[in-house]
Amino acid sequence: MVNNPQILTTASAPQTGSEPEWRISDALVPYEQAVAEMETRADQIARGTAPELVWLLEHPPLYTAGTSADASDLLTPDRFAVHKTGRGGQYTYHGPGQRVVYVMLDLKRRTPDVRAFVADLESWLIATLAQFNVTGERREDRVGVWVQRPELGPGREDKIAAIGVRLRRWVTFHGISLNVDPDLEHFSGIVPCGVTQHGVTSLVDLGQLVSLADVDMALKSTFDEVFGRQK
């Protein structure tokens, strides 16, 4: 059974130029609940009745299908619950040991450009990985952040972080997932993001024995470097 998430929050009154609220859920958050809360908060942000929000959490094991998902990429449909979602992208896995970050920002107060926002998410992940001496890289033909693995073979690259976003009235929701120490075998039930020629890795798989709390601190410390403050 999944418990209701215990939420640590630092709320602040919405105002132009204010920093986003940061929220960490200690317990696993059901996917449907997370989506409902994101949609509610995104609407509040658009109406100016709530501050922006960066929500850090974990989900129970599940697969999500983005708007570009190909049914043939779901290799074991009965393994975990499969959730169709309005975010961009294809199939991905979420589960314990993976830091999911739902990012609800008002791009009208920042840079109203979807491509620039996705690039900023990649930059944020790369800066966070650098805190642990891991070199994350972006690829023009693949969304997400990748790590070179020459020790596993010529040209081998593994995905360490995924990105999938949605916008409504220029407010973002959904976001990123960074593999800290999930069960990597769980990814075998899908073709992650439709990519077959590369693998999946995590910080612990790369020899970085870090915790979710360590990653949370790194995400917080690098956020302003990339996103700055509202206009």
Side-chain angles (χ1 to χ4, degrees):
M1 179 179 294
V2 178
N3 297 322
N4 288 330
Q6 298 174 357
I7 292 182
L8 305 177
T9 180
T10 54
S12 58
Q15 56 182 340
T16 300
S18 64
E19 295 185 0
E21 173 189 346
W22 283 72
R23 178 185 299 175
I24 302 175
S25 293
D26 292 331
L28 302 180
V29 181
Y31 189 76
E32 300 94 333
Q33 177 182 336
V35 172
E37 292 194 22
M38 277 192 290
E39 290 184 345
T40 297
R41 185 57 170 260
D43 181 63
Q44 292 170 341
I45 294 169
R47 291 188 284 107
T49 59
E52 297 175 317
L53 175 64
V54 181
W55 185 11
L56 294 80
L57 60 112
E58 293 173 278
H59 286 305
L62 58 90
Y63 297 129
T64 62
T67 55
S68 301
D70 184 334
S72 65
D73 287 341
L74 181 60
L75 305 179
T76 55
D78 299 326
R79 187 173 191 182
F80 298 128
V82 180
H83 300 269
K84 292 185 178 180
T85 178
R87 62 154 176 81
Q90 302 182 52
Y91 281 103
T92 194
Y93 166 78
H94 294 312
Q98 182 189 71
R99 178 49 88 209
V100 173
V101 187
Y102 290 136
V103 185
M104 286 150 271
L105 301 180
D106 187 351
L107 295 191
K108 295 192 305 295
R109 305 177 197 172
R110 296 176 178 274
T111 302
D113 184 320
V114 179
R115 290 180 181 271
F117 175 62
V118 172
D120 283 346
L121 290 175
E122 291 175 337
S123 296
W124 185 29
L125 286 162
I126 290 168
T128 298
L129 290 169
Q131 300 284 306
F132 305 105
N133 298 312
V134 171
T135 301
E137 300 177 352
R138 71 185 84 212
R139 293 291 179 263
E140 293 300 323
D141 59 337
R142 298 176 246 134
V143 175
V145 175
W146 301 80
V147 177
Q148 294 189 35
R149 306 294 304 276
E151 72 278 11
L152 300 180
R156 171 68 180 264
E157 297 179 340
D158 285 351
K159 191 170 191 176
I160 194 168
I163 297 173
V165 300
R166 187 176 182 183
L167 274 73
R168 183 177 297 159
R169 289 189 288 175
W170 285 109
V171 176
T172 68
F173 54 115
H174 296 279
I176 62 176
S177 59
L178 174 58
N179 296 333
V180 182
D181 189 22
D183 186 337
L184 294 178
E185 198 278 329
H186 288 177
F187 284 89
S188 66
I190 57 172
V191 178
C193 300
V195 177
T196 58
Q197 64 269 39
H198 299 291
V200 180
T201 191
S202 68
L203 282 167
V204 171
D205 183 50
L206 294 172
Q208 301 297 320
L209 302 181
V210 300
S211 66
L212 287 173
D214 295 328
V215 170
D216 294 346
M217 291 179 61
L219 286 163
K220 187 74 159 56
S221 68
T222 55
F223 181 85
D224 284 343
E225 297 175 14
V226 177
F227 293 97
R229 296 173 64 88
Q230 298 176 12
K231 296 177 181 178

